Amino acid sequence: MTDPSRRRVVVGVDGSTESRTALRLAVDEARYRNCLLQIVRSVEMYEENPESEELDSAVAFVRDDLGFTEVSGLVTSGFPAMALLEQAADAELVVVGSRPRSAIASVVLGSVGSAVATHAPCPVIVARTSGERATPGARVVVGVDGSDVSERAVDFAFGEASHRGTGLVAVHCWQVDHPAAARWDAEAFATRRNEHLRWMSESLAGFQDKYPEVQVTTSLLEGRPAVLLTELSRGAGLVVVGSRGRGGLVGMLLGSVSQSLLHHAYCSIAVVRPVVPSS
C-alpha cells in the first residue's frame, strides 16, 4: 500500500494527446521528487460511463508502459480547473497539458491551464506539446529579477536542471532608465551592465553551491522579459518563472511575463508562486 502522508504530484487528464504529454512529464517529476502520482479526471456531470474508463486507461499506462506503480486515480464531477485546484492544496506540484503554440495560443491554452497556474498554491508545470520538439538534454531557462518569488523560481529551476541532467540558463532582462543618454555615455552604460552581472553572480552563488553538478550560464539581456524569454524558449526543455516579479502582490493574478509565456512559449512552462504568509 502507498503511504497517504507522502507528498503528491497531481496531473489532470482528459484523453487528449496534450494530457498524455502532461502524464509522461508528471511521472518523471514524481520519480524525481519521490512522490505519489495522483491522476485526476474531472467531468461536469459524472455518471458511470466511459469517463472512468479514460482514467483507468491513464493509470494502466503509467503502471504498465511507464513502469511507475505508486499511482492512483480520481474521477470528480465539476469544472476541471476547480478539481485540480482542490487537489493542489497539499500537492508538491501540479502538471497540466497545453496545446502547441500557435497564432491563437491565447485561445487554445484553455481555461484549465491558465486558471491552475494562476491560483494553485504550489508550482505548476504547463506541459507544452511543441511543434519545435526539444532535443534530449534541452536546457532549463529561468528568469531572474531579484524578487522573493524569483529566488524560489531559481531554486526550482536548479532542481529541474539537476534531475534532468541539463544545463541551466539564468536570464536577467533589464532596460536602462534613460536610453537616449545611455547611448551617448557608453562608459556609464557599461558600468551599469557590469553591476547587473555582478549582482547575478552573487545571487546565483548559493544555488551553485547547492547544485554543483549543474552547469550554469548567465545571460544579461536588454529588453522586455516576456519577449526575450519567449525567444529563449525555442529548443529549451523548460522555462521557469515566478508568478509575479518585482512590484507584484501575494495572492494577485499572474504577472504579465508569466501570462505571456503561458500563451506564447515554445516549450513547457513552470510557474512558481511565492510563499503565502499564514494568517
Side-chain angles (χ1 to χ4, degrees):
M1 295 180 61
T2 57
D3 181 357
S5 67
R6 282 178 58 193
R7 299 282 286 176
R8 296 173 302 133
V9 169
V10 174
V11 58
V13 298
D14 62 7
S16 65
T17 300
E18 293 76 29
S19 70
R20 184 59 61 95
T21 298
L23 196 59
R24 289 180 181 275
L25 191 152
V27 168
D28 184 56
E29 291 290 334
R31 282 197 176 105
Y32 155 54
R33 299 168 188 278
N34 191 28
C35 285
L36 304 177
L37 181 65
Q38 174 92 69
I39 303 175
V40 178
R41 176 69 173 102
S42 180
V43 293
E44 294 190 19
M45 294 184 64
Y46 172 64
E47 298 175 359
E48 292 186 359
N49 59 23
E51 301 298 350
S52 60
E53 294 178 14
E54 276 187 9
L55 181 66
D56 292 342
S57 176
V59 172
F61 173 73
V62 169
R63 287 177 174 161
D64 300 337
D65 292 61
L66 302 183
F68 190 78
T69 58
E70 295 183 278
V71 55
S72 63
L74 175 67
V75 174
T76 66
S77 59
F79 295 109
M82 295 302 296
L84 288 170
L85 288 171
E86 183 177 346
Q87 297 302 315
D90 60 350
E92 184 84 8
L93 175 74
V94 174
V95 181
V96 294
S98 172
R99 296 182 186 175
R101 181 189 190 277
S102 73
I104 54 171
S106 60
V107 176
V108 301
L109 171 69
S111 59
V112 176
S114 183
V116 173
T118 299
H119 297 292
C122 62
V124 175
I125 295 181
V126 179
R128 178 83 70 196
T129 304
S130 175
E132 296 189 7
R133 187 175 300 277
T135 58
R139 66 191 181 277
V140 173
V141 176
V142 60
V144 183
D145 68 9
S147 63
D148 289 343
V149 69
S150 170
E151 185 174 343
R152 287 173 56 82
V154 170
D155 194 14
F156 183 94
F158 265 92
E160 287 292 319
S162 176
H163 102 266
R164 292 167 182 241
T166 67
L168 175 67
V169 180
V171 182
H172 177 55
C173 304
W174 70 296
Q175 293 176 292
V176 294
D177 297 329
H178 303 287
R183 292 193 189 99
W184 285 104
D185 190 346
E187 183 177 350
F189 183 90
T191 298
R192 182 75 180 277
R193 187 175 188 280
N194 288 336
E195 289 174 354
H196 280 274
L197 287 171
R198 184 163 53 252
W199 166 78
M200 281 193 73
S201 178
E202 292 172 354
S203 63
L204 295 174
F207 297 107
Q208 289 179 299
D209 291 339
K210 182 178 178 181
Y211 299 95
E213 71 282 6
V214 176
Q215 182 176 355
V216 183
T217 302
T218 57
S219 182
L220 179 62
L221 302 175
E222 184 187 357
R224 295 172 55 195
V227 173
L228 296 171
L229 287 170
T230 295
E231 191 59 29
L232 286 170
S233 72
R234 291 180 181 270
L238 181 71
V239 173
V240 183
V241 290
S243 56
R244 294 187 72 86
R246 287 191 173 277
L249 299 176
V250 173
M252 295 292 286
L253 298 181
L254 292 184
S256 60
V257 175
S258 48
Q259 277 281 16
S260 180
L261 285 167
L262 283 175
H263 296 308
H264 301 298
Y266 292 87
C267 68
S268 298
I269 301 297
V271 178
V272 180
R273 298 192 65 81
V275 175
V276 179
S278 57
S279 56

